[in-house]
């Protein structure tokens, strides 16, 4: 999805995200976090469907049977439509005449008609709470959305954003496919439970990156969104301040991060030279997320 024609500004904006992913390509499913009563052997993971080659698909075949498995077990969704980690404002798919990710920062009390429709992110984990004592209740997972996080800020919870769409202190719901244990069971990981984070809904509430952060409309330019998921409640300081987005490593937490880069425009700085944001912004109505 990242093309050679992007601007130098886009390259600069992408640099932090690329560093994150360069460091996250090497990881393992199994960690050993065991300190007395703290038992957490398996890392939490953000997962998404991927496009498989024919050879990979054949790897799902059961060698003891002549029948062919219809699909390799994957999280829900079309792998061709997975949200790219660079939401390129110039990108058009084959069925669209307008860019898919051309977002607008709108005046106060307005929303972006071109914002994302409902999107769902999936997380998996294998560990049970109190596993050593025979308790098979699986870990709760928690997610946070951090907007333009500053690694030098000693108050990281201030980067938490988009709270109108979800509650970062509530455990994630099981994915709907978990109602049928045969729908999502990754090979070799029978105890897996899939959780989901929904942003927006099917009733028309969009995920408005540039206007729904819970603050003023975002400044024109590129922004970074980190989705952080962990298998323990967030760190709580002595003054009872919850540091949303900070995994509690002292309690044996594991975590995963997915980083997205997007751009906010307005009518004065539109990349295509037109005033599309004047038509794309509309007054806030009941039910829209402010």
């Amino acid at each position: 999805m990242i093309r050679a024609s992007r601007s130098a500004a886009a390259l600069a904006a992408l640099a932090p995200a690329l560093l994150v992913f360069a460091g996250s390509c090497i990881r393992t499913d199994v960690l050993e976090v065991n300190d007395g009563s703290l038992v957490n052997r398996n890392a939490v993971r953000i997962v998404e469907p991927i496009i498989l080659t024919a050879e990979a698909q054949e790897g799902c075949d059961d060698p003891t049977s002549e029948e062919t498995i219809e699909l390799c077990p994957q999280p829900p969704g079309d792998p061709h439509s997975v949200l790219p980690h660079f939401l390129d404002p110039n990108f058009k798919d084959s069925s669209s005449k307008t860019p898919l990710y051309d977002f607008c920062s709108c005046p106060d009390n307005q929303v972006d008609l071109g914002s994302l429709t409902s999107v769902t992110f999936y997380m998996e984990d294998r560990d049970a709470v109190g596993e050593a004592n025979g308790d098979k209740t699986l870990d709760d997972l928690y997610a946070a959305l951090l907007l333009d996080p500053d690694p030098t800020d000693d108050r990281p919870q201030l980067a938490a954003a988009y709270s109108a769409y979800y509650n970062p202190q509530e455990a994630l719901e099981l994915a709907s496919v978990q109602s049928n244990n045969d729908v999502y069971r990754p090979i070799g990981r029978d105890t897996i439970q899939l959780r989901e984070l929904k942003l927006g809904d099917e009733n028309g509430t969009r995920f408005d990156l540039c206007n729904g952060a819970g603050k003023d409309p975002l400044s024109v330019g590129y922004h970074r969104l980190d989705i952080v998921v962990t298998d323990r409640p967030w760190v709580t300081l002595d003054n009872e301040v919850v540091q949303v987005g900070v995994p509690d490593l002292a309690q044996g937490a594991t975590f995963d991060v997915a980083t997205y880069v997007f751009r906010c425009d307005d009518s004065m700085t539109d990349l295509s030279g037109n005033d599309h944001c004047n038509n794309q912004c509309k007054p806030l109505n009941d039910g829209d997320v402010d």
Side-chain angles (χ1 to χ4, degrees):
M1 304 296 295
I2 303 175
R3 303 199 301 272
S5 62
R6 63 173 177 257
S7 66
L11 281 169
L14 277 171
L18 293 177
L19 286 174
V20 168
F21 281 102
S24 65
C25 289
I26 302 174
R27 66 183 180 190
T28 177
D29 280 346
V30 179
L31 302 178
E32 289 290 347
V33 180
N34 192 339
D35 179 12
S37 62
L38 302 177
V39 179
N40 196 14
R41 296 190 63 250
N42 300 283
V44 65
R45 296 156 38 110
I46 297 172
V47 293
E48 59 188 22
I50 60 174
I51 299 172
L52 298 176
T53 64
E55 292 79 7
Q57 190 68 44
E58 290 175 0
C60 290
D61 292 351
D62 184 351
T64 66
S65 171
E66 295 182 358
E67 296 182 3
T68 299
I69 296 178
E70 292 184 1
L71 292 174
C72 286
Q74 291 207 73
D78 181 352
H80 296 84
S81 302
V82 170
L83 197 67
H85 291 274
F86 175 39
L87 278 64
D88 185 348
N90 294 309
F91 175 75
K92 302 176 185 179
D93 69 2
S94 58
S95 63
S96 174
K97 296 182 179 180
T98 58
L100 290 181
Y101 310 116
D102 200 356
F103 306 130
C104 294
S105 284
C106 299
D108 288 342
N109 298 318
Q110 292 193 16
V111 294
D112 179 9
L113 286 175
S115 55
L116 291 173
T117 55
S118 175
V119 292
T120 304
F121 300 94
Y122 294 97
M123 299 82 177
E124 66 175 38
D125 187 56
R126 295 178 60 194
D127 288 301
V129 178
E131 186 174 351
N133 299 321
D135 183 355
K136 296 302 182 180
T137 303
L138 291 177
D139 286 346
D140 285 331
L141 303 187
Y142 301 87
L145 271 59
L146 306 183
L147 176 64
D148 296 328
D150 180 357
T152 66
D153 194 336
D154 61 0
R155 299 170 297 170
Q157 70 273 14
L158 297 184
Y162 303 101
S163 59
Y165 294 95
Y166 77 113
N167 184 345
Q169 297 188 53
E170 288 186 358
L172 295 173
E173 298 286 341
L174 287 175
S176 56
V177 296
Q178 291 298 141
S179 61
N180 182 346
N181 291 332
D182 294 329
V183 173
Y184 180 68
R185 180 168 294 183
I187 297 172
R189 301 203 300 273
D190 291 341
T191 60
I192 203 71
Q193 291 284 358
L194 195 68
R195 269 75 168 188
E196 62 185 15
L197 171 65
K198 286 187 176 182
L199 303 172
D201 59 40
E202 296 79 7
N203 299 320
T205 299
R206 290 174 169 265
F207 180 38
D208 194 338
L209 285 164
C210 297
N211 306 283
K215 307 169 185 177
D216 294 332
L218 300 189
S219 60
V220 171
Y222 288 94
H223 295 272
R224 170 175 170 166
L225 175 67
D226 282 1
I227 299 178
V228 185
V229 60
T230 186
D231 50 8
R232 298 289 185 269
W234 306 112
V235 166
T236 301
L237 303 181
D238 293 339
N239 58 4
E240 298 186 353
V241 173
V242 178
Q243 291 196 303
V244 168
V246 181
D248 198 343
L249 302 183
Q251 296 300 316
T254 69
F255 69 95
D256 198 5
V257 182
T259 297
Y260 295 84
V261 175
F262 63 96
R263 179 180 171 84
C264 297
D265 275 333
D266 66 15
S267 59
M268 301 300 294
T269 59
D270 173 41
L271 294 179
S272 61
N274 60 41
D275 60 351
H276 80 103
C277 285
N278 288 337
N279 300 319
Q280 202 163 297
C281 295
K282 72 163 187 174
L284 184 69
N285 296 322
D286 292 338
D288 292 327
V289 175
D290 188 1

